[in-house]
Each structure stands twice: as C-alpha cells, then as structure tokens.
Amino acid sequence: MADQTLENLSTEERRFEPPADLAADANVKEEAYDRAASDREAFWGEAAERLDWGQRWDQVLDWSNPPFAKWFVGGTLNAAVNCVDRHVDAGNGDKVALHWVGEPEDDTRDITYADLMDQVCRAANALTELGVQKGDRVAIYMPMIPEVVVAMLACARLGAPHTVVFGGFSADALASRVIDCGAKVILTADGGYRRGAPSALKPAVDEAVAKVAASGVESGVEHVVVVRRTGQDIAWDDTRDVWWHDVVDAASAEHDAPMHDSEHPLYVMYTSGTTGTPKGILHTTGGYLTGTSYTHWAVFDLKDDDVYWCTADVGWVTGHSYMVYGPLANGATQVMYEGTPDAPHKGRWWEIIAKYGVTIFYTAPTAIRTFMKWGDDIPAQHDLSSIRLLGSVGESINPEAYIWYRKNIGGDRTPIVDTWWQTETGQIMISPLPGVTAGKPGSAMKALPGISIDVVNDEAESVGNGNGGYLVIREPWPAMLRTLWGDDQRFIDTYWSRWDGLYFAGDGAKLDNDGDIWLLGRVDDVMNVSGHRLSTTEIESALVSHPKVAEAAVVGAADDMTGQAVCAFVILREAAGDGGPDIVEDLRKHVAKEIGAIAKPRQIMIVPELPKTRSGKIMRRLLKDVAEHREVGDVTTLADSTVMDLIKSKEGSSSED
Ligand code: ATP
Ligand code: MG
C-alpha cells in the first residue's frame, strides 16, 4: 500500500493483509482458532507437548477452586532442562543461544547452548554449596549480562524461585522486594555499563542488605554473589560476599536436574508500578513454560534460522517470558544488549541488527516514539533488510508510530505484532498472528487461540462490536498468575472480585465493527468530559498523528464546568524545533478534526520529557497531579525523578482556555 493512500485513509480503514508467502509458511494456521475454541484444554495439552516432561500430567486444568488454577496436574518437569539441556541433547549444542553485546564497543560474547549448559550446571552447583535449596527464594540484581540468564536458569534448575529486580532500581526498592519474598541470597555484579560509563550495583546491595537486617525479618540475606563486570572498587564483607567467578568456575559442570511439580513456583516478579505500588506476581512452572514457549513460537512465527532480539530488560516480565523462558525453551538464537540505544550514538540498535542479521525484533512504543523524535535519517544509515517481523509491547502503539515503525524499520514490508499482555498474564494474550491475521495500525487485533477475551460493561455483559468497555478474560490460561506472593486476599480483591468468574485486567478496550480489539488505556484514566467518555489512548494517538509531534500524554483534570477537562503534555519531534508560535492552537484544532470538538484539550503543555516508569510507560497519575495543581505523588518507580521538576517549571507557560 502506497504511503500517501495510507495517510489519507481513516484509522479504521488502514489495514495490512498478511503477505501470501508468509501465510503459506506460517507456524500457526487459521484453523487453530476454532480448534482451540472447541476444546481449550486439549489445545493447551497439545501445546504442553512442546516441552520435555519427567512425569506426564494426568489433568490439563484443575479449576475446581477458582481463582486458584492448577495446570498440568501431576506433571513434573525442569524449566532449565527445557531451556538448555534438551537442545544440547538433541545435537544443537553448537547453536548460538545468545549473541551478547556489551555497551562498550567490541565487547561481545557468543554463547552456545553447550556453553549455557556448562554455566547453568556450575551455577546450580555453586548455589547448592552456598546452601540454596528447593523452595528458597533468590534475588537477582544484575545488569544485562549473560550471567543474569545463567543465574535465573540455575535457580529454576534447583526449584529456588527467583525474583529479578531491575538493575536501575534503588537500594530501597531492592530491600522491599527481598523482604517481601524472603530471599536469603542475592546475585549481583559490581556494576554494569550504561550511557557510556560504568554504573555501580554492589553499593546498593550493601545498603539493601543492611535495610533487610534492620527490618527485623527472621532470616536476613546470608550470601551475596558478585559478578566482576566493570572492575570498579567495591566494599567487601568476607563473611557474606563471594565472587561469582570463584564459586561458579570452581564448581562441577555436571548437575543432575531434579524434576519439579508442574505447579512448583518458578519466580516472583513485581509489576511495573504504573498505576500504584508494585504487586508480587507468582508464576509457576508447567503452565508458564507452556504458555510462553507456545506464544513465542506462534506470535513471532519462529523458525530455526531466525535471529531474534527482544530489547526488554530482564528486570521486567517481557525479559522473563520473551528473552529467557519462551525463546530458550524454543532453542532460539537471540541478541542480548547491555546498554542504552544512544550509546555511543543514536544508531546503536540498528548497527547491532545489521551486524547479527536480526530477523525478528521486539520492542516498546516508548522506544519507537523516541526514534521518531530523533529522526528517520538515523535508521536509514543502516542495513535493516534482514528483519522480517516486528513486535511491540508495553503500551498501545499509536497508529502513527506503527506506520513509522513499519516503514522505517520494517522497510514497508514486515508485519507488526502488537502484543497485549501483563506481568499477571505471563504470556501474550492478544496479538495478530503473522500470515494469518491482518494488521491494523493501533489495534492488537484478536485474542490468541486458546485465550478467551471479552469487552464488557459495568454489568459484565459483552458490549459487542462497535462498542467499548472493560477488558476481561473469561477462561483460565496456562501462564496466568497463581496469586500475589503471600497475599491471596489481595489477589482475589484486585483481579477477581469486580465480577464473578471474570479476570479484570484494569484496561479499557473497544471492539471495532470487525470485532478487532483496540486497547484504550487504563480504566482509571478514562476521562469523563461533559458526560462523554474519552480514552487517553485515542487522544494521544490523535496528537501523535500531527507531523510535529513525537509523543503525547493525556490526562483528565477536574473542571468546574465539564466535570473533567482534557490536559495534554506533548513532546515535539526534533525537526520541528519549538513548533512555532501557533503550535498549541494548531494541535487543539488537529484533535478536534481527528476526534471531535469534545476531545479538544483545554490545556496543552509542550514539554521536553514525560514521566515514565523504568520500563518506559507513561505515568499519567503524576501528570494529573500537575494538571490539578497538586503536590506530585509517589515517584519511586519513576525512571528519572528530575523530569517532574522540568514539567512543573513549564507549568506557567502553557495555554489554557
Ligand atoms: P502496575 O500494575 O504495577 O500499575 P503495569 O500495569 O504497568 O504496572 P505491567 O504488567 O508491566 O505493569 O504492564 C501491563 C499493562 O501494560 C497492561 O495492563 C496494559 O495497560 C499495558 N500494555 C501492555 N501491552 C500493551 C499493548 N500491546 N497495548 C496496550 N497496552 C498494553
Ligand atoms: Mg498492571
């Protein structure tokens, strides 16, 4: 489809049909939807056959005590064996598992499945020596280095649930997670490389361990295992600290993997904290690995010779499901990159894609909009012709960002999978299937085979095509969270008590006339202007469709006249300069034209940055505080706390009606 035509079409009319060659060759065919719908349990049972089991299960699903699900009841398996050993046993030991790229240039390592098996076995033996037993929790606080993957798999091998804490988090955040899940060992590094310089990790661990001890928990942190990554000077406690290379390299490379019950806890992962304080999501083994490996194979149409790259940090669920467990269970070759996209230059990602011939690329809208802001000329300098499939996750991808991504990164040929899911769901739930489902810019399209999604009103009735409401999940799915760590009641209250038997996702959604799903943002962010319900996502997408705009965030602020008024915060593209004297009025008119006068923002602030979580999601609740002239609330999960000062300093210069 020629560009010009595309831009002249309305959002609903833009549509990419699956290319015929892809359709012929796709891993999943159209019939999978009906087959899964007619016998969901048989469908997931078949997906579980993709894994190696010690003991086969007797029952696919036990849903006799909702909302507490058990999948593959009676089955036993080992997640690490499924991610590593079985590929070596199948003769693929020489296949590269990780093309690891450090941030300093030329700092690279290629790690084969045989190398990975060697390392995971040694690490499992080393952890056993340190007293880690099945069921013990282990905290992992590391940069994006291969050892973090080894650490997770070693824990999984032993049946010691890990909790990975993002390396950018503070000592406080680490301490509160260690306390919440009672971890007795922390695996870390002296530091890592970020934005062109070594950053430190060990000092935060020391501080966190002291906080844990002071908190009065029964057993504190017994050991800290430290990878030497940067060689910087660090404080050392001989009674507690050991070097990774001392204990892991010295350990045996032989390790007999025990089998674990299908429902044995695999890990606890805390949510991003976009809407409030993070929740400790518990994932277990058999269902989680089934859900992630199947969806990674189906959604990315994974083939043997693909080179896959998911840019997520391992500190988020995307790093768990689609960098570690899903792709490794599938024996994929992938790229793993330590640093930021602009170090040492803004073309770093594209350089990496060209070097390794990446074929499948999975990133977040926040990154895509940043590249839009930087300009088309940067990706244009690199050979991206190896790419055959693009993915997006984390927020709605605005139609304009989708089209930019497809054109500038995908060479106007590649399908895009916009994948909706959550830390809680563990696996992708809504996404087009390449070769099967058409793509519409801005829509996540359809629930995957075996997944039952609906959009309902306040009375839990399906709204039907053409209408909006709350996104819910009607039937259990294999990788679903089992509970919140240590808090069954909060698990029930948060997800299962709004309506009987329905999982409440907290997101708003709309079904278009074809029944395809459009995510509209968080339910709590829906605005009510003079009795009209407006979605943050739709107005943000209208703003981003203006040629001068790179990114936008919209909130509803209390308003005496209208109940709520639309307030927008906008980042301009670099090529647009300051936007010119009429930019605010232009943008207000643009929104009125795209959506209607009711959606016209009362206030638009042109800002240099937006407040985002460390996983790159816009934190609208902080912007709402600004729009309502309040003290700004909890900023502990914010990536850069100076952003709010910058935004507040702009407050006086905005235009209000
Ligand atoms: P918290 O629950 O602590 O507030 P969070 O919801 O941001 O944090 P995550 O589990 O990382 O934590 O994010 C899941 C949410 O991200 C979804 O509920 C949805 O709002 C958003 N999301 C993820 N993928 C998409 C997508 N493809 N389209 C639209 N929204 C998405
Ligand atoms: Mg959430």
Side-chain angles (χ1 to χ4, degrees), residues 78-80 83-84 116 119-120 123-124 127 138-165 187 244 266-269 288 313-326 328 336:
N78 186 296
C83 289
V84 185
L116 199 55
Q119 290 294 303
V120 171
L127 290 177
V138 175
I140 300 177
Y141 182 64
M142 283 194 188
M144 286 286 281
I145 53 178
E147 286 80 359
V148 73
V149 178
V150 173
M152 290 165 72
L153 293 172
C155 290
R157 196 171 184 97
L158 297 176
H162 53 71
T163 188
V164 180
V165 180
L187 311 178
W244 173 280
L266 182 61
Y267 68 80
V268 179
M269 170 93 256
Y288 175 79
D313 191 280
V314 70
W316 309 115
V317 74
T318 307
H320 283 52
S321 298
Y322 297 106
M323 189 184 85
V324 178
Y325 291 107
L328 295 178
M336 175 179 182

Side-chain angles (χ1 to χ4, degrees), residues 270-279 316-318 365 392-397 418-424 430 444 495 505-507 519-522 537 613 615 617:
Y270 292 82
T271 58
S272 304
T274 312
T275 55
T277 50
K279 302 172 277 283
W316 309 115
V317 74
T318 307
S392 171
V393 61
E395 295 177 288
S396 290
I397 176 166
D418 174 11
T419 63
W420 179 90
W421 59 295
Q422 309 178 297
T423 311
E424 291 88 339
I430 308 175
Y495 308 104
D507 287 352
L519 277 306
L520 298 179
R522 313 296 176 131
T537 303
T613 61
S615 56
K617 295 172 200 232

